[in-house]
């Protein structure tokens, strides 16, 4: 699937721990390997981006970041649609610290 180059990325908070990224898998360098988010190339409308995201995935709110900022920090946002959620994407390459700072 192609990388997203521009737009807003939405990460749902599914528990009371307000860190958007805490138990995701990381590689040997401590960077995210496939954290789930929602995004549409070139779109900043959060409601449109969240279409298809299951309510339980954002029960405690959402956090957003710009794709351009993720790329500047060495990350990638890649389209990865799943059944019922065509806007699903995956983030790769960000450290947990950078991910949590960008989505704070």
């Amino acid at each position: 699937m192609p990388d997203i180059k521009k737009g807003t990325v939405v990460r749902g908070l599914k528990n009371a721990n307000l860190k958007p990224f805490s138990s995701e898998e990381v590689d040997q360098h401590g960077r995210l390997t496939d954290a789930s988010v929602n995004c549409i190339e070139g779109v900043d409308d959060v409601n449109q981006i969240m279409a298809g995201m299951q309510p339980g995935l954002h029960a405690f709110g959402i956090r957003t970041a710009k794709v351009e900022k993720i790329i500047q920090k060495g990350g990638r946002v890649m389209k990865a649609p799943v059944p019922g959620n065509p806007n699903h994407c995956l983030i790769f390459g960000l450290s947990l610290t950078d991910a949590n700072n960008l989505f704070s």
Side-chain angles (χ1 to χ4, degrees), residues 33-38 76-80 88-92:
T33 58
D34 60 353
S36 292
V37 293
N38 266 31
R76 296 173 56 202
V77 181
M78 187 168 54
K79 273 194 83 56
H88 183 263
C89 294
L90 297 172
I91 291 181
F92 299 88

Side-chain angles (χ1 to χ4, degrees), residues 3-96:
D3 280 10
I4 304 287
K5 300 293 184 188
K6 185 176 181 180
T8 296
V9 181
V10 176
R11 172 73 174 186
L13 300 176
K14 58 185 174 184
N15 59 46
N17 174 4
L18 294 181
K19 283 190 175 182
F21 302 91
S22 55
S23 61
E24 281 67 36
E25 290 187 30
V26 294
D27 65 15
Q28 67 271 23
H29 304 291
R31 299 194 173 277
L32 294 172
T33 58
D34 60 353
S36 292
V37 293
N38 266 31
C39 186
I40 302 170
E41 177 69 48
V43 175
D44 292 317
D45 179 349
V46 172
N47 291 323
Q48 184 180 355
I49 295 166
M50 288 179 62
M53 186 184 284
Q54 294 180 3
L57 297 177
H58 56 87
F60 289 87
I62 62 165
R63 297 289 182 265
T64 63
K66 292 292 197 179
V67 173
E68 297 87 342
K69 295 283 186 187
I70 293 168
I71 293 169
Q72 285 174 359
K73 290 286 187 179
R76 296 173 56 202
V77 181
M78 187 168 54
K79 273 194 83 56
V82 296
N85 187 355
N87 303 327
H88 183 263
C89 294
L90 297 172
I91 291 181
F92 299 88
L94 286 180
S95 70
L96 284 177

